[in-house]
Every structure is written in C-alpha cells, then in structure tokens.
Amino acid sequence: MMINMKILLIALPLTLGKRYTEFGGIQYPNNLGYIASYLIKHNYEVEMWDYNIEHFTEEDFAERVKSSKPDIVGIHCKTPTILIGEKFAKIIKEVNPNIKVIIGGPHCTALPERTLKEFPDFDICVMGEGEVTFLELCNKIKNKEPIEGTLGISYRTEKGVITEPRRPLIKNLDELPFPNRDLIDMKKYKVLAHVERGIPRSVWTAAEIMVSRGCPYQCIYCAGNLNYGLTVRFRSAKSVIDEVKECIEKYNINYVNINDDTITLKKDLLYEICDSFKKLKIKWGCLSRVDVVTKEMLQKMVDCGCMRINFGVESGSQRILDLTKKRTKIEQIKRAYQYAKEVKLKIIDSGFLIGQSPDETLEDVKATLKLMKELKPTFASVTITVPFPGTELNKMLKEQGYLGKENWENFVMFGKKPEWRTKYFSSTDLVKLQKWVLRKYYLRVSYIIPKLLEIRSLNEIKYYLNVGIDFIKNVVIKRTSPA
Ligand code: B12
C-alpha cells in the first residue's frame, strides 16, 4: 500500500517581522520550486511557504505547522538566514518532534558538519544540487529505510555527524520538470517593489528563469560555484522557451528575469532564445560578465526585447580585479558599457563591491567611484563583500585574523555592521565607505535630473519615490550607524 507523505518547503526572510528595503529584490524561490516539481512528479504532496512575502508571528507559524501536518520540512537557508532557519526548526520540533527537518542551500553546502553541530533542530543537511538527493531521502524516510549512504547529505548518528560524498550533478537539465509556480500565488509577489532595480512589479509581471547551472570563474568572494562547481550545464533553448510559454499562458507574464551567472557565455543558445523571445514579444533582462559581450551580441539582445543587463563590475582598480581573480580588464568594462549604450540598452545595472580583497585601499575605492561616474550605469549597487563560508575570501580573512565573530545573521551585503575587517578598513570604515560611494554616485544633479525625465507613468513615479525614500532613510540619514 502506498503511504502518502506530505512535504513542506519553506523560504526564509532576511529579517523576521521587518519589511525589506525598496532597493533589495525578492523573487519567487525557484530553488524550492524545482524541488517541489521533482517531488510532485514522484507523487508526493507538497506545500510551499515563502516568508519573504508573508508577515507572521512565531505563534502563527506553529499553528500553521500544526494544521498542515507535514512529515518532512525542507528549508532553504543562505548564510544570513540560517539562524532564522534554526528558529523555525525549533518551532517545528515543538509542534511535533517526529517531523524531519532537512535543510539545503549554500550555507550548509559549505559547512555541513558545523551546521548540524551548531543547530540542534536540523536533522539533515543536503549539499549542492537538491532534487535527486531530497527525493531519495523522502523515499527512504517514507519506507523507514536507513539514510546511510545517501549521496550529498550530512546527518547525525550516535557516533557523531557523518557527511557522505557529494552526489554527481544531473547530466541533462532538460530532464528536470520546470519549477513549480502554483504552490504560492504568484500575484503575492506584486506587493514587493521590484523584480530587479528598474523593473517595478506594478508595471511588470515577471518569471525568473535559469538557463544553466554552474560558473567557470573563481572570483574569491563568490559562493555561487559551491553548489554546481566550475562546469556549466546548459538547458536546451526548447526547454527554456517551453517554460517561458507556460509562464505566459498560466501567469500572464510580460517579463523574464534570467538569473544565470552568465547566460552570455554560450552565444548560439543565447541567440536561439533571443529569437524566440522576439516572437513571443516578451521583455527580459539578465546578468553578464563584461568580457564576454560584443556589440553585435548586445544589439541582438536589445532587438529581441532585452531591456536590462546587470554587469558585475566589482572594482575600478585593476590591481583589485587581479587580486580577486575576476579575470576582467578595466578596458573590457569600459568597452562593454560603451556598446550597451550604443545599442540603447534601457537599464544598465551594475554591481560594485567594497572590501572584496583584504588588500583594498582607499585609493582602490576611489578608483571604483571614479569608474562608476565614468560608466554612468542606470543603477549601481555598492555592497560590502561578505566572506561567505567556502569562499577563498573567507579563508584569507580568517588566516589573516580579520574575521571576528561568526554571527551569521550579520553576513549580509547591506544594512548590518560586518563582523570582519580588512587590512586597511575597520568594519565601521566598510559601512562608511559603502554609503559614501553610494551618496557620491546618486546624489548628483547629473544623475537625478535625467532619471526624473525618463519617468513615463504614475506607477513609475510611485516606484522611484519609494526607492528614493528608502535611499534617504538608509544611506543619507543613517550615515554611519547601520541598523
Ligand atoms: C537568484 C539569486 C537571488 C534571488 C532569489 C534567491 C532565492 N529565491 O533564493 C534574490 C535576488 C532574491 C537573492 C537574494 C539574496 N541572495 Co542571492 N543569489 C541568487 C543567485 C544569483 C542564483 C540562485 C538561484 O536561483 N539558483 C538556481 C537554483 C535552482 O539553485 P539553488 O538556489 O542553488 O538551489 C539548489 C540547491 O542549492 C539546493 N537547495 C537549495 N535550497 C534547498 C532546500 C532544501 C530543503 C534542499 C533539499 C535543497 C536545496 O537544491 C536546489 C535545486 O538543485 C545566487 C548565485 C548562484 N550562482 O548561486 C545568489 C546567492 C545564492 N545569493 C546570495 C545571497 C547572499 C543573497 C542575499 C542574502 C543577499 C543580501 N541581501 O545580502 C539575499 C537573501 C534573500 C533571502 N531571503 O534568502 C549568495 C548566498 C551565499 C551564502 N552562503 O549565503 C549567492 C550564492 C551569491 C553570492 N554572493 O555568492 N538572490
């Protein structure tokens, strides 16, 4: 006889009970969406809650778990949400200690044993790609079989924590069902400011899509490749387009947000996807490195509806780009921006980092600001580089004695005081520099006036007003003492 088991999947917010600032993004949790689809395909009953879009109290949560009656709860935890994960797990165990709490995501992938030792209410950590491992775990738990030998997990035994070898990666990503988007009402994401900067949810109904998994680069601060390694696996254009068509039909989306580290790595695939986007008349945006784009490529993208690109520039100092193994040149950065402007890409968003190398000096930060002003991106995010577990930066700061307490909730890119320092900057300096660079970039007539002139609708006015207010609250007023 088939025993039905219920699986509950939970996405966590960065701060309990607090609203996000308007300049951070929230997206449908595709990671859990993928796991949900895979489980449903194998006949499990799945429920999914995203606490980024729902307000709740601890009592509400306990009540909800009581009435949902899951057998297994899977929680996605990043480093700064791991403490909230433990809080949730504790409540779950208080409701019913027999519910298995399984966590996944980049934090426990980097530190499986330590996570289980630090947080007593997690039963099992899943490392890396989760679909197959989680299904195998559910099957074993359902059949009351031992979980020993399950690849890609870490778990407690009487003899201590055991970590099994990592599971080989899924060879053909097209075999995975599309992430489930029915378990949470997609409309609920409309309450949030934007999909990404410049794409207000009041104007755009978006779906996030992943075309590939993995990144061949090894920037010292990035935790991205812990999951999928350095080999990039791509889906076929057909699979991607079928998913987009499904999103248009079912959710009436008019924007696709491609979340890959660098979709521009594979030109043929990109062009095939571009052609289909054009036929579907869908607008879209993506991330890219500066060294892989050509003018012809950007032109093609714009012709096929691309209205936003996010370049990870990181620094205006070649010395720092080299030290952090970014493998880009300042000249390539300038060229990519020149091309993007020539082809009239509507939104050029850009990431810049502070404290990305222990050796960064004030001169390097000034070079970053100088480059920002020269490139004039539509938006510039300036974040404090977080030494996430498993990254080379984490190792370097630790070895050099610059990493203080590891209070994980403070491992965020903005809004908290870092628990680390670099050779030349204290943690307070890092925050001051971040805000200084942001103010110097945004609070200029030459930035503000053209931006105001671009606004075309009431919804856009509302959006930019909210973003502006948040900027003033967080960057201008709270100059030196972050929340
Ligand atoms: C898209 C993205 C976002 C989106 C959406 C994130 C989301 N829905 O979770 C947005 C913009 C909202 C976002 C926000 C943040 N992000 Co982000 N994000 C990414 C990005 C670019 C891709 C992630 C993705 O969608 N991958 C595709 C899915 C399919 O893969 P996946 O997430 O890895 O999930 C698989 C496995 O990890 C595993 N798995 C994951 N969860 C679970 C849970 C269970 C139970 C199981 C069994 C398995 C499992 O199975 C999944 C399927 O195989 C990555 C970079 C990267 N290359 O990974 C950074 C990344 C994940 N983000 C990062 C960070 C730090 C953040 C923020 C904390 C930033 C901040 N504000 O300070 C916030 C946190 C928001 C939150 N509440 O969690 C870090 C995480 C590092 C770390 N150790 O924590 C990364 C790695 C980038 C980096 N800096 O190195 N992010």
Side-chain angles (χ1 to χ4, degrees):
M1 197 186 71
M2 166 110 172
I3 313 161
N4 277 329
M5 279 184 75
K6 184 165 181 186
I7 319 294
L8 168 64
L9 299 173
I10 302 180
L12 300 173
L14 273 176
T15 346
L16 278 181
K18 260 198 187 174
R19 233 175 76 78
Y20 263 89
T21 56
E22 296 289 348
F23 39 85
I26 300 288
Q27 300 176 358
Y28 190 88
N30 259 353
N31 32 35
L32 297 180
Y34 267 111
I35 292 186
S37 294
Y38 203 69
L39 293 174
I40 292 169
K41 186 180 159 195
H42 291 88
N43 301 319
Y44 281 93
E45 185 190 349
V46 182
E47 209 172 309
M48 193 156 118
W49 304 343
D50 183 351
Y51 279 106
N52 287 291
I53 51 161
E54 298 187 42
H55 291 277
F56 68 100
T57 61
E58 286 171 28
E59 292 75 39
D60 294 339
F61 179 68
E63 281 310 311
R64 211 173 164 192
V65 175
K66 261 184 223 160
S67 54
S68 166
K69 296 192 178 55
D71 299 284
I72 297 174
V73 178
I75 310 181
H76 170 76
C77 293
K78 296 192 176 69
T79 298
T81 59
I82 195 87
L83 283 148
I84 297 179
E86 164 64 17
K87 202 170 214 172
F88 274 51
K90 193 165 187 293
I91 297 173
I92 294 165
K93 293 286 183 188
E94 278 162 10
V95 170
N96 178 357
N98 295 324
I99 300 174
K100 288 266 177 268
V101 178
I102 302 178
I103 65 155
H107 187 79
C108 72
T109 296
L111 301 175
E113 284 160 33
R114 183 164 161 195
T115 303
L116 287 178
K117 284 180 188 152
E118 225 172 314
F119 303 110
D121 295 299
F122 298 147
D123 294 305
I124 303 168
C125 290
V126 167
M127 298 173 289
E129 195 156 58
E131 290 88 346
V132 182
T133 308
F134 197 57
L135 174 69
E136 199 175 308
L137 274 176
C138 292
N139 288 342
K140 286 184 175 168
I141 294 169
K142 183 177 81 177
N143 298 329
K144 300 201 168 26
E145 289 167 14
I147 58 166
E148 278 85 352
T150 309
L151 293 178
I153 66 163
S154 194
Y155 56 101
R156 282 194 201 85
T157 67
E158 278 163 16
K159 286 183 229 136
V161 172
I162 292 187
T163 300
E164 300 286 357
R166 288 284 290 266
R167 180 175 295 271
L169 297 170
I170 296 165
K171 283 204 178 68
N172 179 4
L173 293 180
D174 283 3
E175 282 169 9
L176 286 175
F178 304 147
N180 184 297
R181 296 182 171 90
D182 292 328
L183 293 174
I184 301 171
D185 183 358
M186 293 262 285
K187 286 196 202 78
K188 287 192 176 171
Y189 291 81
K190 281 266 176 196
V191 299
L192 296 155
H194 54 214
V195 185
E196 291 284 2
R197 277 173 293 271
I199 308 291
R201 291 201 188 257
S202 50
V203 179
W204 300 100
T205 304
E208 286 82 25
I209 306 267
M210 292 297 289
V211 176
S212 63
R213 288 185 179 183
C215 177
Y217 298 91
Q218 288 172 288
C219 308
I220 64 165
Y221 43 78
C222 185
N225 56 28
L226 289 173
N227 257 354
Y228 305 126
L230 301 174
T231 322
V232 194
R233 291 160 296 153
F234 291 92
R235 294 167 63 188
S236 67
K238 182 182 178 314
S239 163
V240 174
I241 297 306
D242 284 350
E243 184 180 344
V244 172
K245 282 184 183 157
E246 185 185 279
C247 291
I248 296 174
E249 277 155 29
K250 281 174 91 173
Y251 316 106
N252 205 15
I253 61 152
N254 53 10
Y255 187 87
V256 172
N257 186 28
I258 299 181
N259 262 341
D260 296 48
D261 292 311
T262 305
I263 194 212
T264 45
L265 276 182
K266 199 168 179 188
K267 191 173 149 191
D268 294 355
L269 177 67
L270 173 70
Y271 281 23
E272 227 180 303
I273 293 174
C274 278
D275 289 335
S276 303
F277 281 171
K278 191 172 184 176
K279 280 191 207 129
L280 292 169
K281 295 193 176 60
I282 195 99
K283 298 286 180 196
W284 58 286
C286 67
L287 298 135
S288 177
R289 286 174 61 87
V290 290
D291 55 343
V292 290
V293 292
T294 58
K295 186 169 174 190
E296 174 225 291
M297 182 186 280
L298 291 170
Q299 184 70 63
K300 170 91 182 171
M301 290 161 68
V302 171
D303 290 346
C304 296
C306 178
M307 52 181 281
R308 182 182 194 279
I309 198 159
N310 189 339
F311 287 124
V313 174
E314 329 303 7
S315 177
S317 155
Q318 188 61 54
R319 191 181 78 89
I320 292 299
L321 292 175
D322 296 342
L323 280 173
T324 56
K325 303 189 185 158
K326 177 75 191 177
R327 287 170 54 191
T328 52
K329 299 273 175 241
I330 300 286
E331 281 320 305
Q332 291 170 326
I333 300 173
K334 290 185 181 168
R335 206 164 353 159
Y337 275 73
Q338 186 197 325
Y339 293 157
K341 285 185 179 163
E342 281 170 7
V343 303
K344 300 203 167 31
L345 228 159
K346 189 166 185 271
I347 299 170
I348 311 174
D349 198 346
S350 313
F352 297 91
L353 296 170
I354 301 286
Q356 59 202 299
S357 152
D359 290 305
E360 193 178 42
T361 64
L362 187 57
E363 286 315 304
D364 295 315
V365 176
K366 284 183 178 163
T368 301
L369 178 60
K370 185 165 170 279
L371 183 67
M372 283 167 73
K373 287 182 175 170
E374 197 180 325
L375 300 174
K376 299 189 187 63
T378 325
F379 301 103
S381 76
V382 180
T383 47
I384 293 177
T385 323
V386 183
F388 289 114
T391 60
E392 201 179 327
L393 179 65
N394 181 288
K395 213 168 142 225
M396 287 164 100
L397 292 184
K398 216 175 242 173
E399 278 167 10
Q400 295 176 33
Y402 297 141
L403 192 56
K405 268 192 293 165
E406 288 176 314
N407 184 5
W408 302 123
E409 64 190 340
N410 291 338
F411 276 55
V412 285
M413 293 157 175
F414 46 79
K416 296 267 178 82
K417 191 171 166 191
E419 310 241 338
W420 57 92
R421 56 163 299 145
T422 58
K423 197 162 169 186
Y424 301 107
F425 305 135
S426 69
S427 62
T428 311
D429 292 338
L430 289 169
V431 178
K432 274 191 192 166
L433 280 170
Q434 178 192 33
K435 295 190 178 187
W436 177 74
V437 174
L438 280 167
R439 285 197 306 273
K440 286 280 178 197
Y441 184 70
Y442 283 108
L443 298 184
R444 288 175 305 144
V445 176
S446 58
Y447 178 81
I448 297 169
I449 300 293
K451 193 96 234 79
L452 290 177
L453 293 175
E454 276 169 24
I455 295 178
R456 291 282 171 273
S457 69
L458 195 62
N459 278 333
E460 280 184 317
I461 296 181
K462 273 196 227 150
Y463 168 68
Y464 284 110
L465 201 68
N466 281 336
V467 175
I469 291 171
D470 249 23
F471 183 84
I472 292 169
K473 273 201 229 152
N474 289 285
V475 181
V476 182
I477 300 175
K478 279 198 225 158
R479 280 187 175 217
T480 51
S481 54

